[in-house]
Amino acid sequence: MSENNNRSGQEARRILGRTVDVLRNRKVQIAGQAVVITALVGGTSAFVAMNKPVNMTVDGQAEQVRTFGGTVGDVLEAQGLEIDERDLVQPGAGAPIERDMNIVVNTAKDLNLTVDGVALDEWTTANTVGQALADLGIEAEGAEVSLPLDEPLAEDGAELDVVTPKGVTVMADGKKHTVNAAAATVADALAEAGVELDGDDIVSTPMTAPVSHGQVVDVLRVKNETKTVEEKIEKKVTVKETASLDRGKTKVEKQGRDGKREVVYDIRVVDGDEVKKVKKSEKTVEEPVEEVVLKGTRAEAPSRSDDRSGSAGAGSSDSGGTMSKQEIIDMLGGPGTRWYKIVKCESEFNPKAVNQQNRAHFGLFQFKLATWQSVGGSGNPVDASPQEQFKRAKILQERAGWSQWACA
């Protein structure tokens, strides 16, 4: 009985000890779990405090990022952005990070820019074509731009052609054409003015040359033509002396005639004025006929009274000299001819007529001495034969036209 009681007491003490150990271990576990939980709670607070959200806009593209960095440079580095010294960063790379701050990065972009035909190497931190032009001080309004103004600029740059508006004056066909347009070259300005060119026309400035504001471009109309002209071949006059006529008198033994030829010219006309005339060919259409004139050597016979007549127009009463009035009329071609009309008016067929009003006009055709000498005459016309005076009058008419005589 006593032995059984001892066994029961030992078993009870073993159970009690095991229970105490279990309780001791449970306290240690609980304490450990409390330490871990406390550490986790403290770490989360620190994590949340250090990880800040910021708004980044790179070349116009916006996104929100979170960062542990302390400066803007840290954020850029964390995002893998390598910043060039030309890039625009706002705020600067050394600025401290604040929650929800805005960071703007505009990278530098190279431009192959051509303005009115002039090539320029430029760069910009703008993000669109329009912003780039404004950044470079180029007025886009009214200009022709090779890319849309809202076109984004690529990171590696862009090729950009700009033609600015300008005022150009085009002078053509006697008219003034004013152009106000984005014309890059002279050819563009002419097209805007509606001025078309023919193959031989001349422009004061090369067609491919750039134009500037206020420039004047002249267009000269050129016409090259081939023209056939009929010209006179002057007849040859042979004078033969004869004793059958009084000295100083002449008589046409054989009537001559001027010939004709056709001459082909290459003619260049610029704005209506003939500037060049080159003979290309010629051919005789009608041969001239030689004229033979007899010149008297016989002693002069007394003048016949009916051959003398005063000159109403010249104010002189001198006679017809070595030829009778009728012979002079016949020499001039007879009534109805222009020469007849001139001589009748100027001298009344008197080869020795002198204008009594100014005493400065002489002979059948009332030559001034300077004019007489300019056509090969010598001395005074009144001392020359009617034939000589007529010859010099024809030379004057060929050179200066009929306007030399008011009576023509």
Side-chain angles (χ1 to χ4, degrees):
M1 183 71 174
S2 150
E3 186 176 351
N4 290 335
N5 289 335
N6 288 333
R7 291 179 179 174
S8 297
Q10 293 175 352
E11 183 66 25
R13 284 194 295 274
R14 188 170 58 253
I15 293 171
L16 179 60
R18 187 179 300 133
T19 301
V20 171
D21 291 338
V22 170
L23 290 175
R24 185 182 294 118
N25 293 335
R26 179 64 57 85
K27 290 180 181 180
V28 173
Q29 182 180 10
I30 291 172
Q33 290 176 346
V35 172
V36 172
I37 291 172
T38 301
L40 288 174
V41 171
T44 299
S45 299
F47 178 84
V48 172
M50 295 177 62
N51 186 12
K52 302 181 184 69
V54 294
N55 301 311
M56 283 193 64
T57 302
V58 180
D59 289 335
Q61 301 297 317
E63 65 174 327
Q64 188 179 70
V65 300
R66 303 187 72 87
T67 180
F68 290 98
T71 65
V72 169
D74 294 337
V75 177
L76 300 181
E77 183 177 357
Q79 296 298 315
L81 293 176
E82 295 182 4
I83 300 303
D84 184 89
E85 63 181 4
R86 301 181 302 170
D87 294 343
L88 178 64
V89 180
Q90 295 176 323
I97 293 298
E98 298 178 3
R99 292 181 63 84
D100 296 322
M101 75 182 299
N102 295 315
I103 300 174
V104 178
V105 179
N106 288 325
T107 59
K109 306 163 188 73
D110 292 316
L111 295 178
N112 291 326
L113 179 63
T114 301
V115 180
D116 292 331
V118 179
L120 305 171
D121 288 328
E122 297 285 354
W123 64 273
T124 181
T125 57
N127 296 322
T128 66
V129 171
Q131 292 170 355
L133 295 181
D135 183 34
L136 297 171
I138 299 172
E139 180 60 54
E141 184 176 356
E144 289 185 1
V145 185
S146 60
L147 296 175
L149 295 181
D150 58 356
E151 177 87 7
L153 293 176
E155 292 183 9
D156 56 353
E159 291 189 3
L160 193 59
D161 292 328
V162 180
V163 180
T164 61
K166 50 192 73 72
V168 179
T169 300
V170 178
M171 301 297 296
D173 305 314
K175 298 178 181 179
K176 180 179 180 181
H177 306 266
T178 301
V179 175
N180 290 293
T185 64
V186 171
D188 295 335
L190 295 182
E192 289 288 345
V195 175
E196 297 182 356
L197 300 179
D198 290 333
D200 296 320
D201 291 342
I202 299 173
V203 182
S204 60
T205 308
M207 296 289 284
T208 57
V211 290
S212 58
H213 184 72
Q215 184 173 350
V216 177
V217 179
D218 293 309
V219 176
L220 304 179
R221 299 298 190 184
V222 179
K223 185 178 181 182
N224 293 307
E225 60 181 6
T226 300
K227 191 174 182 180
T228 301
V229 179
E230 187 178 274
E231 297 180 351
K232 181 180 73 173
I233 304 175
E234 192 168 339
K235 65 187 176 184
K236 179 182 178 181
V237 178
T238 300
V239 179
K240 295 181 179 180
E241 293 183 344
T242 177
S244 62
L245 293 175
D246 292 340
R247 185 180 295 112
K249 288 191 175 183
T250 61
K251 180 180 180 181
V252 177
E253 181 183 53
K254 178 185 176 184
Q255 188 71 45
R257 183 182 67 246
D258 291 332
K260 297 178 182 178
R261 60 172 166 248
E262 287 184 351
V263 183
V264 179
Y265 290 100
D266 284 337
I267 299 175
R268 186 176 180 85
V269 178
V270 178
D271 275 354
D273 295 325
E274 184 179 300
V275 297
K276 188 176 183 181
K277 184 177 182 180
V278 178
K279 183 186 291 186
K280 188 176 180 181
S281 64
E282 68 173 75
K283 68 176 181 178
T284 300
V285 176
E286 186 176 322
E287 292 285 354
V289 176
E290 180 183 12
E291 183 167 295
V292 178
V293 177
L294 300 177
K295 179 180 180 181
T297 59
R298 187 174 60 195
E300 184 177 356
S303 301
R304 292 175 295 178
S305 59
D306 60 343
D307 289 338
R308 306 181 65 86
S309 60
S311 174
S316 171
S317 60
D318 210 343
S319 70
T322 58
M323 295 180 69
S324 68
K325 179 178 179 180
Q326 186 58 51
E327 288 174 329
I328 291 175
I329 292 173
D330 291 342
M331 178 186 70
L332 298 173
T337 65
R338 184 171 273 182
W339 289 118
Y340 176 92
K341 180 180 178 182
I342 290 172
V343 174
K344 178 176 174 59
C345 173
E346 297 286 348
S347 64
E348 196 62 40
F349 306 104
N350 183 1
K352 296 185 177 296
V354 178
N355 187 301
Q356 296 300 305
Q357 294 180 359
N358 56 29
R359 304 195 66 80
H361 297 82
F362 305 93
L364 287 171
F365 301 93
Q366 290 294 281
F367 275 103
K368 288 183 179 180
L369 290 181
T371 306
W372 170 257
Q373 292 167 5
S374 72
V375 293
S378 61
N380 192 308
V382 299
D383 297 324
S385 68
Q387 296 93 331
E388 178 71 10
Q389 293 184 41
F390 190 26
K391 177 181 178 180
R392 302 302 169 190
K394 287 190 288 185
I395 294 173
L396 178 61
Q397 189 277 328
E398 289 180 2
R399 290 182 181 178
W402 295 105
S403 62
Q404 298 300 306
W405 297 280
C407 301

